[in-house]
Amino acid sequence: MDQFILQILNGLDKGSAYALIALGLTLIFGTLGVVNFAHGALFMLGAFVAVTMSKLLTLSHKVVDETRTDFLGNPLQVDVPYIYDWFGQATGDVIIDWAVPIAIIAAIPVMIAIGFIMERGLIKHFYKRPHADQILVTFGLAIVIQEIVKYFYGANPIPTPAPSAFVGSFDFGVALGFDPNAIIYPYWRLVYFFFSIGIIAAVFAFLQFTTFGMVVRAGMADRETVGLLGIDIDKRFTIMFGIAAAVAGLAGVMYAPINSPNYHMGMDFLVLSFVVVVVGGMGSLPGAVAAGFLLGILESFASMSAVIDILPGINQIIIYLVAIIILLTRPRGLMGRKGVMEE
């Protein structure tokens, strides 16, 4: 039972990332009809917003420390972060420690701006083009973004620690009546899960309960009719592209302490996230979220040593096997709508 619960937790952790990226992908496809293969790059850029914030907060200058000397007796020069000069050392240490959560504030306008630039500068020219053209141009854009990040940040992963308050693990075993240390789970992964639930709930609430969201949902169902009512639906869809970019970016920011950011992490998640979207149903937001968590949990169970001993390598292909089975039995996916991607 303890192993079962642990694998559920691991699956929810992976599923959170899959669901957030797939949610953004589905928002873009559902509103603009664009198959955006650059969406994984937006996830990666969000992670590097956290890296950049961490580096900015630790920018320093040289100061002579009279209390410390080298082997010749000369005072040492030490690096002092600028933030110490502005807020004092105690407050400065707290701000540096909370660099990743602070990066969330910066990531929202940055990712929305990047989304606007991508949509207005490139993707809008491919709305009426075949999906194959959209895939090629957005995949090329993803590679360009990836290489730019590699040029400025290097090819190696960059550790980006979580706040010290969330370092360590929570003992689920004791909370659930098991032996101590039977079910240990990192605090930050729990934070990531609840953060993901909050973002998903916020997106659904925005679409369901705001006038803007209602118009967007109407436009997703019948774009021409909404346009005939005098509503600038294209402008609203551009805003939705920016929101989708922000969702992917926030997912990346919070994922940075879990998996040290590197320039190819977007591609690593992109393929799996597209599988999630297809399994959930192209254009279905609830389907994308449900499939993300479902496939995350299945992948977690397939990674158990007992399963791998019986079926070596099953953890690498389980998601694709499930996708094949679902598409053979239900071609539209779990919650796909009739007519989507069927022309």
Side-chain angles (χ1 to χ4, degrees), residues 2 5 170-185:
D2 58 342
I5 295 173
F170 178 69
D171 195 335
F172 270 100
V174 172
L176 298 176
F178 293 95
D179 294 333
N181 300 321
I183 307 174
I184 299 293
Y185 204 71

Side-chain angles (χ1 to χ4, degrees), residues 15-28 36 38-47 49 103-104 106-116 192 195-207 238-256 269 273 285 288-289 293:
S16 297
Y18 296 159
L20 281 178
I21 301 175
L23 179 64
L25 278 168
T26 306
L27 276 173
I28 292 173
N36 181 23
H39 202 71
L42 296 174
F43 173 78
M44 179 264 294
L45 287 175
V49 169
I104 293 174
I108 294 174
V110 168
M111 295 309 301
I112 290 176
I114 291 173
F116 281 5
Y192 189 79
F195 176 82
S196 301
I197 294 298
I199 293 295
I200 291 169
V203 170
F204 277 93
F206 175 73
L207 291 174
T238 299
I239 294 173
M240 288 308 300
F241 194 102
I243 292 174
V247 169
L250 291 176
V253 169
M254 294 295 285
Y255 202 77
F269 274 90
S273 298
L285 297 176
V289 173
F293 285 110

